[in-house]
Amino acid sequence: MREKGILGGGIHVCKATEGKRCDPGNTGYISSGKFRSLLESHSSKLDPHKREVLLALADSHADGQICYQDFVNLMSNKRSNSFRQAILQGNRRLCSKALLEEKGLNLSQRLIRHVAYETLPREIDRKWYYDSYTCCPPPWFMITVAFFLYNGVSLDQFVLQVTHPRYLQNALVYHPQLRAQAWRYLTYIFMHAGIEHLGLNVVLQLLVGVPLEMVHGATRIGLVYVAGVVAGSLAVSVADMTAPVVGSSGGVYALVSAHLANIVMNWSGMKCQFKLLRMGVALICMSMEFGRAVWLRFHPSAYPPCPHPSFVAHLGGVAVGITLGVVVLRNYEQRLQDQSLWWIFVAMYTIFVLFAVFWNIFAYTLLDLKLPPPP
């Protein structure tokens, strides 16, 4: 980053050539006054929003010292939780106009600003994201998964109506008789229970998943999505043991539920337009799709003993969204390993996965279930 080079180099020079004055004890700290002077000398070369964040950093340290590593983490977009708390508790209020009030923005800038207000609850984070986002890399994960889902429609291979018995004769769908084939716990997302099921999942994935990936990155959003997918199929294997699974609802519901929970938890800070109406529409759409899945599961099959797919994967996705997903979305550019809640939820998820694995190995035999015939 240009600013990192400017200020990072400035501090390195300050430490190397004027060490006795800036950091006489070589402690890794410099005074807030020296840091402010450095900022002012390079203020014309900094984005105004980032200058505000750095000034807030200078004013937030009551002890008058700033850790050089805090500055490096900030400029490399790896802000620590301690830095975030210092900014939030700083005694300087950012008094410049809000990002929403800025005029003369081109189409791409307005899009980035819109995404910032859709996903981030704090103005200081919105400004930081607006200045930092470069669209490199683009939100490839959500778009790629959506492409493969649509590709199934065009090829007429992965998307089949569940009223036809051939829908189980696919190497991707999860089937309880084929649960030893581990890839099926993930690949079932590429097959859906009809075009309407596919359409709603893809729309939700693009409308919610793409903006989230633009802000939080493919790694974090992909992690939440895949965790929801795996949790969904494992939940079915534990709670609805005789049913197959199709559809990407586990991953989609993980993202949507995390996003909705983040909005509710930060209601006053979220500035997206018509948020109450949009939350209501999203909940209605999710409820209708979930209700359809429940109805389909218990509706008599036209081709017995060929069962309809389970709805429990939706619940597994929601559980991941309101735990792991919320921690990810609430900690924009914070190191997740610094969050105690993150490790608690990771431990819970790991315990559930291990429990489900042993359940699949032993429970089906011990319970002597009557499973549907293999496809």
Side-chain angles (χ1 to χ4, degrees):
M1 296 174 63
R2 177 169 59 92
E3 293 87 348
K4 182 180 178 181
I6 293 169
L7 286 180
I11 292 185
H12 275 304
V13 170
C14 181
K15 292 183 72 175
T17 63
E18 303 179 38
K20 291 183 179 180
R21 186 162 59 90
C22 295
D23 186 12
N26 196 26
T27 61
Y29 290 83
I30 63 172
S31 70
S32 299
K34 298 297 182 184
F35 185 74
R36 176 177 286 277
S37 298
L38 186 61
L39 283 177
E40 292 174 352
S41 63
H42 295 282
S43 60
S44 61
K45 303 175 185 178
L46 288 170
D47 289 326
H49 300 148
K50 291 185 178 178
R51 184 170 63 249
E52 291 176 359
V53 177
L54 292 169
L55 286 171
L57 173 63
D59 289 339
S60 63
H61 286 68
D63 58 359
Q65 289 186 320
I66 296 174
C67 177
Y68 176 68
Q69 189 59 47
D70 272 351
F71 169 76
V72 172
N73 291 340
L74 170 65
M75 300 311 295
S76 61
N77 286 345
K78 295 179 180 178
R79 291 178 284 169
S80 65
N81 190 55
S82 60
F83 168 76
R84 172 178 168 270
Q85 292 298 327
I87 292 296
L88 294 179
Q89 298 173 6
N91 54 24
R92 177 181 182 272
R93 299 189 61 179
L94 301 179
C95 56
S96 64
K97 64 181 180 180
L99 181 60
L100 193 61
E101 300 172 358
E102 295 194 1
K103 307 297 182 182
L105 303 181
N106 58 36
L107 181 61
S108 62
Q109 290 173 325
R110 290 199 298 270
L111 174 63
I112 295 171
R113 181 179 66 178
H114 173 75
V115 170
Y117 276 93
E118 287 290 311
T119 56
L120 296 172
R122 290 181 290 272
E123 184 68 17
I124 195 169
D125 285 336
R126 289 192 285 261
K127 290 181 176 181
W128 185 266
Y129 167 74
Y130 177 80
D131 283 331
S132 301
Y133 185 70
T134 61
C135 198
C136 183
W140 60 270
F141 181 82
M142 290 289 102
I143 296 175
T144 301
V145 173
F147 168 78
F148 278 112
L149 298 183
Y150 270 123
N151 191 51
V153 178
S154 63
L155 296 178
D156 196 24
Q157 292 177 354
F158 302 154
V159 182
L160 299 172
Q161 294 288 345
V162 294
T163 54
H164 195 286
R166 284 199 304 117
Y167 91 95
L168 289 176
Q169 297 174 3
N170 191 289
L172 303 179
V173 64
Y174 168 85
H175 191 283
Q177 288 278 23
L178 303 174
R179 63 187 183 278
Q181 299 176 358
W183 70 83
R184 293 177 180 266
Y185 290 91
L186 182 61
T187 58
Y188 73 92
I189 67 173
F190 297 115
M191 180 175 172
H192 282 74
I195 301 300
E196 64 277 11
H197 184 206
L198 168 74
L200 182 60
N201 277 345
V202 170
V203 168
L204 287 175
Q205 181 167 314
L206 293 178
L207 291 181
V208 177
V210 170
L212 290 179
E213 185 178 347
M214 289 175 64
V215 173
H216 298 281
T219 301
R220 290 190 175 191
I221 296 304
L223 174 65
V224 175
Y225 187 89
V226 173
V229 169
V230 174
S233 55
L234 289 176
V236 171
S237 70
V238 171
D240 197 2
M241 300 169 66
T242 61
V245 188
V246 295
S248 58
S249 297
V252 172
Y253 274 53
L255 293 181
V256 175
S257 59
H259 181 51
L260 295 181
N262 188 44
I263 292 177
V264 172
M265 295 170 67
N266 299 280
W267 186 262
S268 61
M270 298 298 290
K271 302 299 182 183
C272 48
Q273 294 180 333
F274 310 111
K275 56 185 175 182
L276 184 59
L277 174 63
R278 292 163 63 181
M279 279 193 61
V281 171
L283 289 174
I284 290 174
C285 291
M286 293 172 66
S287 299
M288 291 177 60
E289 202 277 325
F290 179 72
R292 174 186 175 278
V294 174
W295 173 84
L296 185 64
R297 173 67 181 95
F298 295 107
H299 188 268
S301 174
Y303 300 93
C306 180
H308 288 315
S310 177
F311 60 88
V312 178
H314 298 69
L315 303 179
V318 171
V320 169
I322 60 178
T323 53
L324 290 174
V326 167
V327 175
V328 169
L329 299 192
R330 289 194 67 189
N331 291 279
Y332 168 65
E333 293 209 346
Q334 312 303 320
R335 293 194 295 267
L336 293 177
Q337 59 266 33
D338 292 344
Q339 314 297 321
S340 57
L341 270 181
W342 169 255
W343 292 112
I344 292 173
F345 290 143
V346 166
M348 291 172 58
Y349 185 83
T350 303
I351 292 172
F352 166 71
V353 170
L354 292 176
F355 168 78
V357 169
F358 283 103
W359 182 272
N360 277 270
I361 294 174
F362 300 108
Y364 281 77
T365 302
L366 295 176
L367 296 177
D368 195 24
L369 291 175
K370 183 179 180 181
L371 298 178

